[in-house]
Amino acid sequence: MSELDVSLGYFLAVVAFGAVFRVLFRKWPCLSFASEFTTSFVLVACWLEVQTIIEIGEWAEGLGSEVTLTLRFVVLLTHGVICAGATGNPSLTLMNFLLLETPTLHTLLALAAQFLGAHLALIVAGYYWAMELNDMHIIKNLIFRECSTALRVSLVQGVYCECVCAFIFYLIYLSLRCRAALVRVPFFAAVLTLLSHAASGYTSAFLNPSLAYGLTFYCPGFTFTEYSVVYCLGPIIGKSNQKWFIIYKPLIKVYQ
């Protein structure tokens, strides 16, 4: 079995779990916040394997950057399709709360579910790598606690990078969120893939605190508080700038 075949099997298992979990919880609308747990778990679990392929596969297995870019896009596209109705992103959850679209209790429960899903994904991925099903996982298992941080600039530059990328994405998100899923989901996946690739030398533009928590908060180089400032404060500043909120919201209504 080739390196990517093992990863493909892992992706399919994670996605199948997420799909089954969401189908089961559709019977209880009052527990809709639980879908945020699954959404976050699927995204972080898959992205951890993508990150492994990026960090190790490109130099150990000779995989080109086009392969990793395609994997990022496919993961984000699949995530958007099977997790429709849930974001798995604390920043988007907070934005919906600020727009008065979700109540306080639901928002708090959704935030807790998102970080819990990210933490479980980290644990599951650790066990998966420990099985050492291919050469990439053998290497990954050896350096699991010595991973390279995604934050490769100073705190100020990191916050600025996340803020700018979040600003761009949320403008697009607000303008397209009421469009048909056939247009919206692939476009969002493409934008996030391009932003992540463009910012790979800075912060990787996760734009998602729970995703950043699962991928880089445990890596050496910065403290938990410093990571929180960059990956939580940056996206929040990018989405809550009142100036563009006030100016852009009437335009959204016009296009809708």
Side-chain angles (χ1 to χ4, degrees):
M1 186 178 289
S2 68
E3 307 290 330
L4 289 181
D5 286 342
V6 174
S7 297
L8 179 60
Y10 171 76
F11 291 142
L12 290 176
V14 170
V15 170
F17 168 79
V20 170
F21 193 96
R22 281 183 59 83
V23 169
L24 291 175
F25 271 85
R26 280 179 184 172
K27 299 179 181 179
W28 297 284
C30 60
L31 297 178
S32 58
F33 65 87
S35 63
E36 296 291 345
F37 167 82
T38 310
T39 304
S40 181
F41 171 80
V42 171
L43 179 61
V44 176
C46 289
W47 206 263
L48 281 166
E49 183 67 0
V50 171
Q51 189 180 52
T52 299
I53 296 172
I54 294 172
E55 292 179 348
I56 301 174
E58 287 190 353
W59 64 266
E61 303 297 330
L63 299 176
S65 58
E66 68 279 358
V67 175
T68 56
L69 273 175
T70 302
L71 283 173
R72 289 183 191 181
F73 175 74
V74 171
V75 166
L76 290 169
L77 180 62
T78 304
H79 176 264
V81 170
I82 70 165
C83 298
T87 66
N89 187 334
S91 294
L92 288 177
T93 300
L94 285 174
M95 185 175 71
N96 291 334
F97 173 73
L98 293 175
L99 290 171
L100 305 178
E101 295 181 357
T102 54
T104 303
L105 180 59
H106 184 279
T107 299
L108 293 175
L109 291 174
L111 291 174
Q114 288 161 352
F115 282 102
L116 183 61
H119 189 71
L120 179 62
L122 185 58
I123 294 173
V124 170
Y127 282 113
Y128 164 63
W129 293 327
M131 296 170 66
E132 299 185 347
L133 298 176
N134 56 30
D135 293 340
M136 279 194 304
H137 294 160
I138 293 174
I139 299 173
K140 182 64 178 180
N141 196 40
L142 291 174
I143 63 173
F144 178 50
R145 293 301 175 187
E146 298 179 2
C147 59
S148 48
T149 177
L151 180 56
R152 301 177 181 178
V153 292
S154 68
L155 292 184
V156 174
Q157 291 173 319
V159 171
Y160 180 77
C161 179
E162 287 289 302
C163 178
V164 170
C165 291
F167 179 84
I168 295 171
F169 174 72
Y170 289 129
L171 285 179
I172 297 171
Y173 173 81
L174 286 172
S175 62
L176 295 180
R177 63 177 181 163
C178 294
R179 299 295 177 89
L182 189 62
V183 174
R184 184 181 69 251
V185 174
F187 197 82
F188 286 166
V191 170
L192 288 172
T193 300
L194 291 176
L195 288 175
S196 177
H197 179 69
S200 59
Y202 302 93
T203 64
S204 291
F206 294 131
L207 311 185
N208 184 333
S210 61
L211 178 61
Y213 168 79
L215 267 64
T216 200
F217 273 37
Y218 61 92
C219 295
F222 295 89
T223 65
F224 187 92
T225 302
E226 290 171 332
Y227 280 127
S228 298
V229 168
V230 172
Y231 291 106
C232 295
L233 186 60
I236 289 174
I237 293 175
K239 72 176 176 53
S240 60
N241 187 307
Q242 294 299 317
K243 230 178 236 188
W244 70 261
F245 229 72
I246 295 171
I247 293 173
Y248 197 73
K249 198 170 180 181
L251 295 178
I252 297 171
K253 292 181 180 178
V254 170
Y255 284 110
Q256 289 175 353

